[in-house]
Amino acid sequence: MSRTGILKERLVPAKVFGKSIEDDGEVLVKVEAVQPVPSKPMSVRVRSAVGTAVVLWQGVSEAVESEHHVEWTVDEGIDWTGNAWPSPVSAPALREDGDHIIFRGRLSLAEDGGAVLDVGGTLILFDLAEPPLPEGVDGSWVEVHVAQDYVTVWPYEL
């Protein structure tokens, strides 16, 4: 299922592995404007309890400069040893490295071939690229590096 299809189904909070996909009402982020780049969608700096990153914004421009509950959409799959690997640190994080966003969290695998990364209480859905992930990665701490242009936040109200 495409990320857009998943998003449309989330009008009612969904469950993955017994956890709500949407924020539980306690995970807020501060959204700040960044200098616009011609010919690119609007970008914002998202400040969360686990870190900061500049990502694409799918809300109205008037909603910037305030706190929001957001849903993260990542349009790049997990490619083990290509853009994802075990983390030496067992703590959630969000940060930038050049033109990439780095998510660190606990990975949970789905039976349908997808994955959920729990980054400090925010659950982010990922597709899995080939080849399959190695045995024992389910439930482990991983880092996923994603091109900045493939990371979007969508504001929502509880």
Side-chain angles (χ1 to χ4, degrees):
M1 176 181 297
S2 72
R3 301 240 179 270
T4 305
I6 290 170
L7 181 64
K8 287 179 182 173
E9 289 181 4
R10 287 206 210 142
L11 297 175
V12 175
K15 299 265 184 186
V16 174
F17 308 121
K19 295 181 180 178
S20 173
I21 291 175
E22 294 184 11
D23 291 333
D24 60 8
E26 296 180 21
V27 180
L28 284 173
V29 297
K30 173 75 175 167
V31 178
E32 302 169 348
V34 297
Q35 186 67 28
V37 177
S39 75
K40 282 186 77 173
M42 181 179 201
S43 294
V44 295
R45 180 171 310 283
V46 175
R47 295 187 186 278
S48 74
V50 298
T52 302
V54 173
V55 298
L56 301 176
W57 175 249
Q58 290 298 322
V60 296
S61 58
E62 294 81 18
V64 177
E65 302 299 336
S66 60
E67 289 187 338
H68 294 279
H69 296 275
V70 296
E71 177 172 338
W72 294 81
T73 301
V74 179
D75 290 324
E76 186 173 329
I78 293 178
D79 174 12
W80 199 250
T81 71
N83 71 348
W85 41 83
S87 174
V89 179
S90 298
L94 168 67
R95 62 184 168 86
E96 294 178 63
D97 184 15
D99 61 352
H100 283 80
I101 305 299
I102 301 171
F103 297 98
R104 184 184 326 129
R106 189 176 299 267
L107 187 68
S108 298
L109 302 179
E111 292 177 13
D112 68 359
V116 176
L117 189 66
D118 183 341
V119 181
T122 296
L123 303 178
I124 303 171
L125 298 174
F126 282 90
D127 291 326
L128 298 177
E130 292 294 329
L133 299 180
E135 292 289 322
V137 73
D138 189 27
S140 66
W141 286 91
V142 300
E143 284 192 3
V144 181
H145 295 227
V146 180
Q148 190 174 35
D149 290 342
Y150 295 140
V151 180
T152 306
V153 292
W154 302 74
Y156 68 87
E157 292 184 28
L158 295 176

